[in-house]
Amino acid sequence: MDRRRPPARPGGGPGAPPSRARGGPRGGAARAGLLLAGVLVLAVSVAAGTRIGAADVGWTDLGRVLGARLGLGTAPLPPLLDSLVWDLRLPRVLMAALVGASLAVCGTVLQAVTRNALADPYLLGVSSGASAGAVTAAVLPLALAGPGAGTLGVTGGALVGALLSFGLLLALLRRTGLDSVRIVLTGVVVGQLFTALTSLVLMASADADTTRALTHWLLGSMAPARWDAVAVCALVTPLGLAAAWLCANALDGLAFGADTAASLGIGVRRTRMLLLVMTAVLTSVAVATVGAIGFVGLIVPHGVRLVVGPLHRVLLPHAALAGAVFLVWTDALARVAFAPREIPVGVITALLGVPLFLLVLRRKGEL
């Protein structure tokens, strides 16, 4: 019997053969070295991102704050500088890293599950659904019993909204199938629906100050990040990455389609549902904390796939690291580009993401 392997898609996309990545590292030592380099780059990026801002913080000052807070015996800095680094800068930089990793992993998973190189939580309407759920939970009196009491409530609302939006997307695609163009077009429609619902909730239930604050937050901003929100995200993100990594072989099979995956012994329906719920959870936690940030899940997986190839066991951790580094530096740019005025980070990712999105469309022959 002539057992032919499915043809590779050009450019090492989600349908490329998982055994060898064109242009990627060939050996385990090279991949391990690249992963270690990514960890070091992320560590340097977090430290540098903590220094960057309207008020400059030196390396020595940063070291003294961290040393004093971690009990290493260094002399503490003045309370104002200590609070600037520990209470404001460091939580937002760590949140940027966690959210960037989450969105990059979600984009990688969705591109394999839907077999669509243009899939990411923002384009499929999941972010819009999460935003609608989070805003609803934030403005309803029963959702917030007091200041700071809404972290888990808003996260729960975002999760419900993300699941509803993705469920609606799948329901609309039930008859037409997971065609690449239809997925994106239907995702845009679902996203617009939930964006309209968000606006309706704001106009009907929030006062002027709340509307202004939530509208700015919906553009995506790391400014609200505090240690309690970082703790929630730090718990959820590694669990989501671990779940995706454990399903890496299934993702390799799903990249070729449901029939191929089933022939490899993969429980297609159960695996798809697990991965889709996982992406909804990661997206909802990110949106509930920092708002909707688009295009990270689209840009990062494509760039990393060109370097390490399409094998998901290798692709997923590298994509998480690259997404973390990308959003840390994007947030730093948002802070200093028009200092002392701060730009929402979602605006920067959109400005970078739109031309790259058009480039991906052109490579796929859709434009």
Side-chain angles (χ1 to χ4, degrees):
M1 181 181 296
D2 181 19
R3 295 183 177 178
R4 298 182 178 179
R5 301 173 67 179
R9 291 185 183 180
S19 60
R20 186 175 291 272
R22 187 174 70 178
R26 300 286 175 159
R31 289 196 294 266
L34 187 61
L35 191 64
L36 178 60
V39 172
L40 293 176
V41 170
L42 176 58
V44 172
S45 299
V46 168
T50 306
R51 292 187 59 237
I52 295 174
D56 189 29
V57 176
W59 288 106
T60 302
D61 294 337
L62 176 61
R64 288 175 61 188
V65 170
L66 295 179
R69 289 286 185 168
L70 298 177
L72 300 180
T74 58
L77 288 175
L80 185 61
L81 185 56
D82 178 82
S83 180
L84 171 67
V85 173
W86 186 258
D87 296 325
L88 298 179
R89 292 270 183 90
L90 191 57
R92 74 176 293 161
V93 171
L94 292 177
M95 181 60 73
L98 290 167
V99 170
S102 294
L103 295 179
V105 168
C106 288
T108 304
V109 169
L110 288 174
Q111 287 166 18
V113 170
T114 63
R115 300 186 68 202
N116 184 354
L118 304 177
D120 91 324
Y122 188 80
L123 290 177
L124 297 187
V126 180
S127 292
S128 298
S131 297
V135 168
T136 301
V139 300
L140 289 180
L142 294 179
L144 296 177
T151 301
L152 294 179
V154 171
T155 302
L159 175 59
V160 172
L163 292 175
L164 285 175
S165 62
F166 211 95
L168 177 59
L169 175 69
L170 294 179
L172 294 175
L173 292 171
R174 181 180 295 274
R175 293 186 179 180
T176 60
L178 297 178
D179 175 79
S180 61
V181 176
R182 285 194 180 96
I183 289 176
V184 174
L185 293 178
T186 308
V188 169
V189 171
V190 171
Q192 289 299 312
L193 170 63
F194 280 91
T195 299
L197 290 175
T198 302
S199 300
L200 179 63
V201 170
L202 284 175
M203 294 298 103
S205 305
D207 55 34
D209 292 336
T210 303
T211 300
R212 188 182 304 109
L214 287 174
T215 301
H216 185 272
W217 168 78
L218 285 171
L219 295 174
S221 175
M222 300 297 161
R226 296 296 181 266
W227 284 112
D228 57 345
V230 172
V232 172
C233 203
L235 175 65
V236 173
T237 300
L239 291 176
L241 178 57
W245 191 79
L246 290 174
C247 296
N249 292 334
L251 286 169
D252 291 335
L254 288 171
F256 290 112
D259 293 338
T260 302
S263 69
L264 297 174
I266 298 169
V268 175
R269 178 181 292 272
R270 182 180 44 131
T271 303
R272 267 183 174 171
M273 187 57 60
L274 170 65
L275 291 170
L276 293 178
V277 170
M278 182 271 295
T279 57
V281 170
L282 288 178
T283 302
S284 64
V285 171
V287 169
T289 306
V290 300
I293 298 175
F295 296 102
V296 177
L298 175 66
I299 299 170
V300 174
H302 282 287
V304 175
R305 196 178 285 114
L306 292 174
V307 178
V308 304
L311 189 66
H312 283 86
R313 190 169 294 274
V314 179
L315 176 60
L316 284 167
H318 286 89
L321 286 172
V325 171
F326 173 77
L327 204 55
V328 165
W329 284 108
T330 305
D331 178 55
L333 177 62
R335 272 180 280 157
V336 301
F338 294 95
R341 179 174 296 178
E342 182 177 319
I343 304 174
V345 68
V347 174
I348 304 293
T349 59
L351 290 173
L352 296 174
V354 168
L356 291 174
F357 174 73
L358 296 176
L359 179 61
V360 173
L361 276 177
R362 188 175 182 84
R363 287 187 61 190
K364 286 175 58 64
E366 306 286 356
L367 188 66

